[in-house]
Amino acid sequence: EVKLVESGGGLVQPGKSLRLSCVGSGFTFSRYGMGWGRQAPGMEFEWVSSITASGDVTYYSDSVKGRFTISRDKARNTLYLEMNSLKPEDTAMYYCAASRVRSGGLLLNQAWYNYWGQGTQVSVSS
């Protein structure tokens, strides 16, 4: 059974940092492109960041570029999202996902992801 389990969310003040983790199991983690997306209440789903299967190429939405960093640890089957300089508009449920697409622009499209986690809530407020 494929599982993706996110953790690390919480309530933080603007300007602070959080690191999200996503542990994958039941599939060959190193062969999958991975990514993070988010959805705020009443808002459309937004794709945030992706990383190729090899881990050598990363992608970011304009809204998080320069503040968020995606990475992966193949030995631990874990995907990370380091979020710095958090803003209230970053408040959302964050989901990790795995794609059989290993690299390329298709990783920016949520439709190409095969497996999804249950999400972890991030709230940014003073």
Side-chain angles (χ1 to χ4, degrees):
E1 180 188 6
V2 172
K3 286 186 178 179
L4 290 170
V5 181
E6 302 98 332
S7 62
L11 173 63
V12 294
Q13 294 179 330
K16 299 297 186 181
S17 300
L18 277 177
R19 187 175 80 158
L20 305 183
S21 299
C22 172
V23 179
S25 62
F27 65 104
T28 306
F29 183 82
S30 62
R31 295 182 181 178
Y32 281 67
M34 300 292 296
W36 292 94
R38 67 186 182 186
Q39 187 161 28
M43 302 292 285
E44 289 188 356
F45 185 88
E46 178 187 11
W47 198 253
V48 172
S49 182
S50 305
I51 186 167
T52 57
S54 63
D56 59 350
V57 181
T58 57
Y59 308 91
Y60 299 94
S61 68
D62 288 342
S63 61
V64 307
K65 197 174 296 182
R67 299 187 298 123
F68 290 11
T69 302
I70 190 171
S71 62
R72 62 192 300 163
D73 184 334
K74 295 178 183 179
R76 291 183 167 82
N77 283 2
T78 302
L79 177 72
Y80 300 102
L81 186 67
E82 184 75 34
M83 305 185 295
N84 299 317
S85 303
L86 283 162
K87 305 175 181 180
E89 50 264 44
D90 294 318
T91 295
M93 185 71 79
Y94 284 70
Y95 300 90
C96 81
S99 173
R100 294 190 181 100
V101 175
R102 298 190 184 189
S103 64
L106 291 176
L107 287 174
L108 299 171
N109 187 333
Q110 66 192 82
W112 289 93
Y113 284 78
N114 305 98
Y115 306 117
W116 293 81
Q118 294 298 307
T120 185
Q121 177 68 38
V122 172
S123 299
V124 184
S125 175
S126 55

